[in-house]
Amino acid sequence: MLRKITLLAATLGLLLGAAAAPALANTAEEPANVHWDFEGPFGRYGKAENQAQLQRGYKVYREVCSSCHSMKLVSFRNLGDPGGPFWNPKYKNPNDNPVVKAIAADYQVDDIDTDTGDTTKRPGIPADRFPSPFANDYAAKASNGGANPPDMSLLARAREGQGRYIFSILMGYENPPAGVTLNPGQHYNKYMAGGVIAMPPPLKAGQVTYDDGTPSSLEQEAMDVSAFLMWAADPHADDRKNTGIAVLIYLLLFSGLLYLAYRQVWKNESH
Amino acid sequence: MSGHSTYEPKNAFSKWLDARLPVTRLVWDSFVDYPTPRNLNYWWTFGGILTLCLGIQILTGIVLAMHYQVGGATAFNSVEHIMRDVRHGWLIRNIHATGASMFFIAVYIHMLRGLYYGSFKPPREVLWLLGCLIYGIMMATAFMGYVLPWGQMSFWGAKVITNLLGVFPGVGQSITTWLWGGYGVDDPTLNRFFSLHYLLPFVIAGVVVLHIWALHVVGQNNPTGVDPKSKADTLPFTPYATAKDAFAMSLFLIVFAVFVFFLPDAMGHADNNIPANPLQTPPHIVPEWYFLPFYAILRAIPDKLMGALAMFGAIGCLFALPWLDTSKVRSMRYRPTAKICFVIFMVVCIILGFCGANKPDDQVIPGLAGFMLLDANANSWVWLSRIGTFYYFLYFLVITPMLGLTETPLPVPETIASPVVANAEKKG
Ligand code: HEM
């Protein structure tokens, strides 16, 4: 019996391994093995240090990436949700959060003048989504040498390696190895499949000045903006993990009770 | 097993109802008094677990459909709306997406249980066929469900699989066009897949009723494969099987919860978080893990038509199994050679899964140079999948029929109760 269970466990393990296998076949280098404190079952974005990191990451996004990359699925108010960079327990409703309001007002969003029907611009409010830097994909391509900067809302979960991958791309610019010729507008990045990327190196050390005084080394900026993008792709992670721990505790206790009930029922029956 | 009903209505209302629609009697006879072999092990709890899985998929699916907006321009964003803005939408969607994988883990265990203990042999052929039918509809449902979020893998997976039918000579291309509702995978395809994805689980539920009906006519098999002969061999379903099933379900839910809350991306594919783009083929199109062995069989054969036939044939073998197996002994407990062949078969299925996940021409053992064998290097996934495919069919079409005629099985116990009693005495 025990042997069979071991066999089954091994089988299941292999099956799950098979599910994870497709990433194997890739010419690019494996993403760097970096970690963030908010990862894992017990890590939380809401922890003070991690929230500070999200705020720094947002600053990098705002000052650097957002000039090319859109983030269409995220609303300003999300920044003030629990687990978000600007969550403040004083403002349970993120629409009231003054930091969020100020960030939104800093953007100009499209609107329609209801008196004339003309398109106009107005300052953003927390309920608005992040406006995109380009009017459409064609404009984005035209300004970026024919390559479309992917939308950032879900980017961290749209690549094998997730945040590690984004971090690696930002750190992975190199001179091309012998034999690789680059066209104008192309760059060599060892983490990109095929090695050639159309994005110019977006970050350098000291590119942003952090409000909390953290020295802005390239690595620090890359870690911070990757953290922010991981949050943007999975904004309910804290809620998910908290619920998960409660559910697991419940199920473990419940299973214990059911096991006792099962033993009680079968007490006098051989099997 | 459909013996005399022992149900006795207790109060005036149940007497009144029993004389008009004896539904309480049906439930009593099927799930309380129903005799189950006393030696059922935990592999027998997966039938109940599957019913639970179906229920979970239907419930979460209905809630998702309240927020999902079918259509090429809206589908992807509406799923993200569920993940971000709908209260607990992330929970519902994670349960539904993970639930499909859990459903397949359970069904594969359930089916392997049937293979090992010979549950497909007379008189359970119809029960087995209904099970295979359920499995077929499950695959169709899961395939169409995966298309709904309209990510890159949704789109390109749909394209690859529907194109399969195009390889059949003459009618193939017209069938694909008819399925698509146009000349490519597009809005009409997505619309009909949504409609069918909503419908099919209820069809499954209907076939499950037949499946359980058939089960209750012929009775459950058991680890010895010996038919119950007396009352000493069985126990009433409630409380005995119910208690064991409930415990097993709860353990299953623990594994389920670990994936839902802590590994939501483990079973999925990152590319499906990129909106579908008909102009950009992903570098590596792979189906969901539960289709990988069949995908490997499809690609093992260089000819497209033969590949598709082999793939459907691999599933067809399951349907034919009751008539392929010649052994009079049900349980492989008493068939040492069959047991070995069966274990190899399971390993081969897993290896085929890996073959399906990797690019056919990539090396299996990295760095080993290998040599050219016909059309590909011997050290490549495509050759491994050919060996696997060969054994897969060998197992069903040669080993299973031959072994029943040639092997000498171990002695089979007289009754279910006899080894059970012997065991209990040994334990003291
Ligand atoms: C939605 C999917 C399915 C559901 C909900 C389901 C449900 C059940 C239930 C409740 C039982 C009784 C409990 C047990 O003995 O495990 C059962 C038995 C059985 N099922 Fe399924 N089943 C499903 C799929 C399948 C498939 C795909 C097959 C095989 C291809 C299959 C073959 C059998 C057989 C042979 C039995 C009789 C088991 C025995 O007594 O040995 N089932 N099923």
Side-chain angles (χ1 to χ4, degrees), chain A residues 4 8 11 14 25 73 77 129 153-154 157-158 162 232 236 240 244 255 258-259 262 265-266 269-271, chain B residues 38 42-43 77 80 83-85 90 105 117 235 240 246-247 250 254 261 265 270 273 350 354 362 420:
Chain A
K4 280 193 236 150
L8 178 85
T11 316
L14 279 172
L73 302 172
R77 65 179 162 78
R129 302 232 168 163
S153 329
L154 209 52
R157 291 174 71 199
Q162 307 208 334
H236 295 298
R240 169 163 61 72
S255 300
L258 285 173
Y259 181 69
Y262 158 70
V265 164
W266 283 82
E269 293 297 342
S270 52
H271 60 290
Chain B
R38 64 189 310 138
Y42 279 102
W43 301 129
N77 285 350
E80 275 305 304
M83 291 298 280
R84 290 162 189 272
D85 302 329
W90 57 268
I105 290 176
Y117 293 111
L235 290 167
Y240 293 97
F247 173 56
S250 190
I254 291 178
F261 294 103
D265 293 326
N273 285 325
I350 294 165
F354 279 97
D362 280 356
V420 170

Side-chain angles (χ1 to χ4, degrees), chain A:
Chain A
M1 187 64 207
L2 205 68
R3 209 167 34 114
K4 280 193 236 150
I5 292 182
T6 330
L7 195 76
L8 178 85
T11 316
L12 275 182
L14 279 172
L15 273 176
L16 297 180
L24 293 178
N26 206 329
T27 48
E29 204 156 306
E30 284 289 306
N33 195 18
V34 286
H35 292 280
W36 287 266
D37 182 69
F38 52 77
E39 291 179 301
F42 302 108
R44 295 290 179 274
Y45 288 116
K47 193 171 146 187
E49 302 94 283
N50 296 335
Q51 196 184 26
Q53 180 168 48
L54 290 185
Q55 295 183 1
R56 291 195 301 271
Y58 171 70
K59 190 159 196 207
V60 180
Y61 167 75
R62 173 72 175 109
E63 290 182 7
V64 186
C65 322
S66 72
S67 57
C68 297
H69 292 270
S70 62
M71 194 166 63
K72 292 181 192 160
L73 302 172
V74 180
S75 306
F76 295 113
R77 65 179 162 78
N78 295 138
L79 299 173
D81 281 338
F86 300 101
W87 158 246
N88 182 341
K90 267 216 317 250
Y91 305 101
K92 294 270 181 304
N93 178 353
N95 295 305
D96 302 333
N97 185 319
V99 184
V100 174
K101 279 177 162 169
I103 288 174
D106 201 27
Y107 277 88
Q108 290 290 312
V109 299
D110 291 328
D111 206 346
I112 291 178
D113 186 326
T114 48
D115 291 331
T116 63
D118 295 338
T119 52
T120 58
K121 296 262 186 201
R122 61 163 172 79
I125 56 166
D128 286 319
R129 302 232 168 163
F130 274 86
S132 305
F134 299 104
N136 51 49
D137 285 357
Y138 303 105
K141 277 187 190 163
S143 308
N144 286 286
N148 193 0
D151 184 82
M152 279 193 157
S153 329
L154 209 52
L155 189 58
R157 291 174 71 199
R159 296 289 184 279
E160 277 322 320
Q162 307 208 334
R164 268 169 277 285
Y165 177 80
I166 296 182
F167 171 82
S168 305
I169 286 283
L170 296 173
M171 305 286 291
Y173 285 90
E174 279 177 2
N175 289 328
V180 178
T181 43
L182 296 172
N183 297 325
Q186 288 189 332
H187 308 267
Y188 185 79
N189 192 314
K190 63 179 173 184
Y191 294 106
M192 182 82 178
V196 176
I197 189 167
M199 169 169 71
L203 283 180
K204 57 178 191 310
Q207 179 119 6
V208 290
T209 311
Y210 286 132
D211 304 330
D212 62 2
T214 308
S216 44
S217 64
L218 172 60
E219 186 169 350
Q220 184 69 44
E221 292 170 335
M223 284 300 274
D224 292 348
V225 74
S226 305
F228 172 74
L229 292 175
M230 285 161 86
W231 167 81
D234 188 15
H236 295 298
D238 282 8
D239 193 10
R240 169 163 61 72
K241 293 181 214 170
N242 290 336
T243 316
I245 286 173
V247 167
L248 280 184
I249 291 173
Y250 174 84
L251 280 175
L252 283 170
L253 292 176
F254 190 54
S255 300
L257 284 179
L258 285 173
Y259 181 69
L260 294 179
Y262 158 70
R263 289 298 295 263
Q264 180 66 23
V265 164
W266 283 82
K267 200 169 56 193
N268 298 319
E269 293 297 342
S270 52
H271 60 290

Side-chain angles (χ1 to χ4, degrees), chain B residues 43-48 50-51 54 103 107 110-111 113-114 119-120 124 127-128 131-132 134-135 138 204 208 211-212 215 219-222:
Chain B
W43 301 129
W44 262 263
T45 59
F46 280 89
L50 282 164
T51 319
L54 183 62
F103 204 161
V107 87
H110 190 67
M111 292 164 75
R113 186 278 319 262
S119 300
F120 52 87
R124 296 188 181 82
L127 174 58
W128 175 259
C132 292
I134 293 172
Y135 174 57
M138 259 177 80
I204 295 180
V208 168
H211 186 72
I212 294 175
L215 173 76
Q220 273 164 298
N221 187 25
N222 66 79

